[in-house]
Amino acid sequence: LKQEALLELSSVQSQQELSDLRIKYLGKKGPLTEILRGMGALSADERPIIGQVANDVRAAIENVIEEKQAAYQKEETEKRLRAEMIDVTLPGRPSQQGVVHPLSKVIQEIEDIFTGMGYTVAEGPEIEQDYYNFEALNLPKDHPARDMQDSFYITEEILMRTQTSPVQVRTMEKRKGEVPIKIICPGKVFRRDDDDATHSHMFTQIEGLVIDRNVRMSDLKGTLLQFVQEMYGKQTRIRLRPSFFPFTEPSVEVDVSCAMCGGEGCRTCKQTGWLEILGAGMVHPRVLEMGGYDPKEYTGFAFGMGVERIAMLKYGIDDIRHFYTNDLRFLKQFLHL
Ligand code: PHE
């Protein structure tokens, strides 16, 4: 039996055959099981001898089967390893890398500069009530200055905000007369403008507001000078020109020295050496009052800038529409900035 089994085992070709032979020789219906089952009929002297022989045969067959099984397993593992092999020397597939949009980048930069001066960032709704966008900013219904900002009205009382200044009013309301207020408010604003290289019906503003005791015009000027020097470089100068906004008095328009020509005069600054970037002023007493701050005790300043314009001047971008048309060739230029 042993020889027969070993002979058959020596010529197995597959794992299936091996497992068939295991059943044939060692299984419940196999010859060995039969022999062991028949042991009861043997005499007490024969039993240990036959048992010994049967066990030896069983062990011998088991040994061979196990060896073969191990060999099959090894082969299979190697096959799998070979199939799953990764060639680490192959060149990688390039993945598309996104970039932070230049507008987001500039907003972040402006926020960093002002939070560095102790400001916090506040936000407000893009769909705004007439009261916050105009009335509480000292622009009553029939005020001619409303024409300065052609608006998208949704109903008579609700519109797309034309400026981020309503966040001033909302903040004053929320703070209920407490000082200091020191915020900047970035966000989208909307105006009924025909789009061209320098106009867009939607653009981004950042409004700033400071209210406290003894806030002066010189604080405004110092703050803005600090800002433009961090934004455009230490050599940058500013110039304030008298202007008008209904919610500030006095009001100024703020120019920066042209970074392109250093004030010599070039195309960017139309040969003047200066570029207008901001509107600003001392918060109008009526606005303070409507916001719940006694103008005899508190003063404040506010400023507002168009982020696209700041970004265009910083990076030499010649058309505001580039920001919104999602041309990858434009966006990819900002990969390394
Ligand atoms: N909100 C003004 C505008 O959109 C800018 C501004 C803000 C001016 C704050 C003064 C103070 O034109």
Side-chain angles (χ1 to χ4, degrees), residues 13-52:
Q13 298 288 353
S14 68
Q15 254 183 309
Q16 183 58 48
E17 270 179 51
L18 188 64
S19 113
D20 288 348
L21 287 180
R22 183 205 303 275
I23 293 166
K24 177 171 171 190
Y25 288 104
L26 305 178
K28 269 192 226 147
K29 290 177 185 154
L32 274 169
T33 312
E34 211 164 285
I35 290 167
L36 290 170
R37 217 180 271 138
M39 295 271 279
L42 299 176
S43 71
D45 299 343
E46 286 170 316
R47 226 176 277 159
I49 299 163
I50 300 294
Q52 179 73 48

Side-chain angles (χ1 to χ4, degrees), residues 149 162-163 165 168 191 205 207-208 245 247-248 279-281 302-304:
Q149 301 177 359
T162 60
Q163 48 188 354
S165 306
Q168 288 188 30
R191 293 185 192 178
Q205 271 195 344
E207 183 93 2
F245 298 103
F247 34 88
T248 48
F303 54 88

Side-chain angles (χ1 to χ4, degrees), residues 133 137 148-149 162-166 168 189 191 203 205-209 220 243-248 250-253 276 278-283 301-306:
N133 195 81
L137 288 164
M148 285 163 73
Q149 301 177 359
T162 60
Q163 48 188 354
T164 41
S165 306
Q168 288 188 30
V189 300
R191 293 185 192 178
F203 61 99
Q205 271 195 344
I206 292 187
E207 183 93 2
L209 174 69
L220 170 62
S243 185
F244 173 81
F245 298 103
F247 34 88
T248 48
S251 300
V252 290
E253 213 105 44
E276 183 196 325
L278 276 155
M282 301 307 290
V283 181
F301 64 73
F303 54 88
M305 64 185 102

Side-chain angles (χ1 to χ4, degrees), residues 96-132:
Q96 289 276 351
Q97 195 190 344
V99 310
V100 178
H101 193 281
L103 262 185
S104 307
K105 217 168 245 177
V106 171
I107 293 171
Q108 189 60 56
E109 218 176 317
I110 296 172
E111 285 183 4
D112 283 350
I113 294 171
F114 280 103
T115 51
M117 292 193 252
Y119 287 68
T120 54
V121 177
E123 284 185 352
E126 290 168 9
I127 298 172
E128 188 53 285
Q129 295 171 37
D130 184 277
Y131 174 77
Y132 290 111

